[in-house]
Amino acid sequence: MNPNLALLQPYPFQRLRALLADVQPPQDKIAINLSIGEPKHPTPALLTDALTGNLEGLAGYPATLGTDALRQACRDWAQRRYAIELDAACEVLPVNGSREALFSFVQSVIDSSGAEKPIVISPNPFYQIYEGAALLAGAQPFYVNCTAERAFQPDWSAVPEAIWQRTQLVFVCSPGNPTGAVMSLADWQALFELSDRYGFVIASDECYAEIHFGSPPLGGLEAARKLGRDYRRLVMFTSLSKRSNAPGLRSGFVAGDASLLADFLQYRTYHGSAMSLPTQAASIAAWNDEAHVVANRAAYIAKFDAVTAPLAQVLDVKRPDASFYLWARVPGGDDVRFTRELFAHEHITVLPGSLLAREAHGHNPGQGYIRIALVAPLAECVDAAQRMAQFTSAYRTANT
């Protein structure tokens, strides 16, 4: 077996199940799960109709590069969304959701043949695929803590010179999971300058970019354009899972540096990750339509408007820059205990922030926080917020 498999840690939701396994929640209260970022809004009919209307495509092998029509739809969407130019022939590559693409991209980029282990830099807290991808590629993760004092942005100045010299890849996530923080143009400029100096690739995870509050978050390719740069050493990842409420479709695309994507395409050809033709047809329909995205965004805004204020009365929390998460500091700072007792008293599940981060530089930056995913219907989110507010008031009194 690959010895690097032994380096992998249990996934956060596996750890959460173990954490709550011995807790008996009240059966007279409706269970509300706000722990996992799985969209629950209905998948648009235009997407499902396109999927079922093209089932004859199951009779043929799809190309890993995808159809011209799909790459063109992805390119057109990126042009409308970010006001950028992309060559659909070589700067766009369809993928089976951003999760598998983020993982496999690392395998194609990292060169572990040198005397020293290469470094992959990750924000902390982070989407756990970043760590697993780095470890299985033979790289060493280096975590850059994202704290409230820095508006949950990575402090690149805290990275030692010796680490930068070994760095081959830097992950960024904007809007961030779990904090919802969005990188500014100045943030991007600082990172681009470091990439120019040390030669590392930037993998920009932007799968939450369509869940915002009226100000579309700046993207990596967009930032490069605004700064007069090309896409050298830069690739962005996006997906239909959150944008179009289609997590089960497993569809997204990557875009950016044509030379990186050419090697990534070769890797994927051997990896066997072509998207089925019915899925491609559904994806084209989704990328070509904005009306369902506007409606989806409005539904999330309504939930944030309804729950943020009551929760802010008892928790240190505010509406994020974007995404569908609330990143809330809990009273007393014990996120694990808070999560267990909330489940025990209210039958509400949230995710302890410490499970989404690693101890780094003497601190776990997720400790003391919970991630609340506002994916349930509005009425459930309002009910959960009211129950959480009542519980937290009692919890604070009992623990102060």
Side-chain angles (χ1 to χ4, degrees), residues 51-344:
L51 182 69
T52 58
N54 288 274
L55 294 180
E56 69 279 1
L58 293 175
Y61 283 118
T64 305
L65 184 59
T67 63
D68 292 345
L70 176 56
R71 294 196 313 280
Q72 188 67 39
C74 295
R75 187 209 75 92
D76 291 348
W77 173 81
Q79 181 172 312
R80 293 193 305 271
R81 171 62 173 80
Y82 295 112
I84 60 175
E85 290 296 331
L86 288 168
D87 185 338
C90 61
E91 293 181 325
V92 175
L93 181 59
V95 295
N96 295 318
S98 58
R99 177 173 177 165
E100 72 87 5
L102 287 161
F103 179 87
S104 57
F105 182 71
V106 180
Q107 314 312 306
S108 72
V109 165
I110 293 299
D111 177 5
S112 59
S113 63
E116 291 187 300
K117 269 197 172 187
I119 296 287
V120 171
I121 291 182
S122 169
N124 191 29
F126 59 94
Y127 182 41
Q128 305 295 291
I129 294 300
Y130 307 160
E131 177 185 74
L135 292 171
L136 288 175
Q140 174 186 331
F142 183 90
Y143 308 102
V144 181
N145 292 345
C146 302
T147 63
E149 291 72 27
R150 287 190 52 83
F152 302 111
Q153 292 296 339
D155 182 5
W156 305 120
S157 66
V159 180
E161 172 74 15
I163 294 296
W164 283 125
Q165 291 177 350
R166 294 165 52 199
T167 297
Q168 294 186 8
L169 178 69
V170 171
F171 277 113
V172 294
C173 186
S174 180
N177 174 11
T179 66
V182 170
M183 292 175 64
S184 68
L185 189 61
D187 294 327
W188 277 110
Q189 184 171 14
L191 187 59
F192 289 149
E193 289 173 356
L194 288 165
S195 176
D196 290 342
R197 188 182 313 162
Y198 297 104
F200 58 76
V201 173
I202 301 170
S204 180
D205 181 354
E206 302 176 16
C207 70
Y208 294 94
E210 293 300 85
I211 312 298
H212 57 77
F213 305 99
S215 298
L218 180 68
L221 301 182
E222 181 185 17
R225 181 194 62 80
K226 287 179 179 291
L227 293 169
R229 299 174 58 90
D230 59 22
Y231 304 144
R232 204 173 316 164
R233 299 185 304 277
L234 173 64
V235 173
M236 65 87 80
F237 299 74
T238 192
S239 162
L240 292 173
S241 295
K242 277 76 176 177
R243 175 187 182 270
S244 298
N245 298 309
L249 191 68
R250 309 315 305 138
S251 178
F253 71 89
V254 300
D257 186 324
S259 63
L260 290 174
L261 292 188
D263 289 338
F264 190 32
L265 173 61
Q266 183 178 27
Y267 175 93
R268 295 178 64 76
T269 300
Y270 280 86
H271 189 59
S273 49
M275 185 188 299
S276 76
L277 290 173
T279 299
Q280 292 192 52
S283 302
I284 292 168
W287 289 119
N288 283 339
D289 182 75
E290 291 297 324
H292 76 280
V293 183
V294 173
N296 187 44
R297 188 180 302 128
Y300 282 116
I301 291 174
K303 287 188 275 192
F304 276 100
D305 288 346
V307 309
T308 306
L311 288 176
Q313 294 178 6
V314 293
L315 293 168
D316 181 2
V317 65
K318 63 179 182 180
R319 197 167 73 171
D321 296 335
S323 85
F324 52 46
Y325 298 120
L326 286 171
W327 186 237
R329 193 194 302 266
V330 301
D334 190 337
D335 53 306
V336 169
R337 179 182 177 186
F338 183 93
T339 298
R340 281 175 56 87
E341 294 199 18
L342 176 64
F343 185 68

Side-chain angles (χ1 to χ4, degrees), residues 326-377:
L326 286 171
W327 186 237
R329 193 194 302 266
V330 301
D334 190 337
D335 53 306
V336 169
R337 179 182 177 186
F338 183 93
T339 298
R340 281 175 56 87
E341 294 199 18
L342 176 64
F343 185 68
H345 287 85
E346 298 296 335
H347 213 162
I348 294 172
T349 310
V350 295
L351 187 62
S354 58
L355 302 190
L356 290 167
R358 295 287 180 260
E359 183 83 17
H361 321 297
H363 176 56
N364 181 324
Q367 187 171 358
Y369 289 86
I370 55 171
R371 192 187 75 176
I372 305 168
L374 297 184
V375 293

